[in-house]
Amino acid sequence: IMATARMKKIFSFVFVIFTLLFGCCSATVYKVGDSDGWTAKDHLYYHWTEDKEIHVGDSLIFEYDHNLNDVTQVSGGLEYEFCDSSFPKAVYNTGHDVVTFTEPGSYYFITSNHTQCTSGQRLGVFVVHDPSSPSPLPLPSKIIPSRHVYKVGDSKSWGVYDSDFYYNWSKEKQFNVGDGLLFEYNNEVNGVYEISGDLEFLNCDPTSPIAVHKTGHDIIKLTKPGVHYFISSEPGHCGAGLKLQVVVGTTLNVPKLSPLERLTRW
């Protein structure tokens, strides 16, 4: 009898733990457009998002006829605004697409059918951390090995020169994950905006930056492969050519050394 009572207590304790772990952090799945689904209807998705707070871990379901349509995720607000699907982050076309958010931030979805997109078939959502769970701690910087730090513009630093100066500066360099960029400038008249998309870069649009740097001595570590965009915080400076685009590759493989080789390297 005592053993049975002890087992009941153990099962009750396990049940409470599972409830605390999973019950408090349950994610929400939203069907985009509700009964309308994913379709061309002016202002539908603006009103659909008005009363929703979407958290990390939540998901969107897009339902539509995959023979006629798709879901294209784009990088930034300008691609969304102009229905530009030229450089998509992702394309979904199953007709029943589930997109789960793993990071906070702004997300933009359009259809690649330009006519339908301009008729209202586009969705922008802002994703926040789940308030019931703690924000993730930043990863220690040593997880990404420190590699080479490039001083942007070399001796000329971050300033206004000819329009191709930073294009020519970057094109001969090979940037990898773990490398860093050092921006040096007068922070009373300038700054550095990291932005997300090609159109924002071309149009010097600073309205939705990923990050803002303005110390005058900014070291930015390149933590992800792909294209990274930086523009001056001053629109006139950016328009005159003060902007930088770098393509970042994966970290180069480090050869594994035997214990004897490691000893002889010291």
Side-chain angles (χ1 to χ4, degrees), residues 89-139:
K89 292 186 72 173
V91 177
Y92 307 92
N93 53 17
T94 68
H96 184 89
D97 308 320
V98 180
V99 179
T100 301
F101 298 110
T102 59
E103 295 180 351
S106 297
Y107 292 79
Y108 301 95
F109 304 92
I110 65 174
T111 173
S112 63
N113 184 316
H114 191 269
T115 301
Q116 289 186 216
C117 178
T118 55
S119 297
Q121 193 170 351
R122 50 186 167 180
L123 169 68
V125 297
F126 184 71
V127 178
V128 298
H129 274 297
D130 188 335
S132 65
S133 61
S135 298
L137 294 174
L139 293 175

Side-chain angles (χ1 to χ4, degrees), residues 166-224:
Y166 292 101
Y167 169 76
N168 291 326
W169 177 84
S170 65
K171 71 177 182 179
E172 301 298 332
K173 295 174 176 61
Q174 183 175 339
F175 301 95
N176 292 292
V177 169
D179 289 345
L181 298 177
L182 169 60
F183 291 83
E184 288 193 336
Y185 54 92
N186 182 349
N187 66 353
E188 294 181 357
V189 295
N190 212 340
V192 181
Y193 281 5
E194 184 174 359
I195 55 175
S196 58
D198 199 64
L199 276 177
E200 281 85 351
F201 179 78
L202 291 173
N203 291 281
C204 293
D205 178 36
T207 53
S208 303
I210 297 173
V212 176
H213 308 276
K214 49 186 177 181
T215 69
H217 185 87
D218 308 320
I219 298 179
I220 301 172
K221 182 167 280 192
L222 303 170
T223 59
K224 295 180 179 179

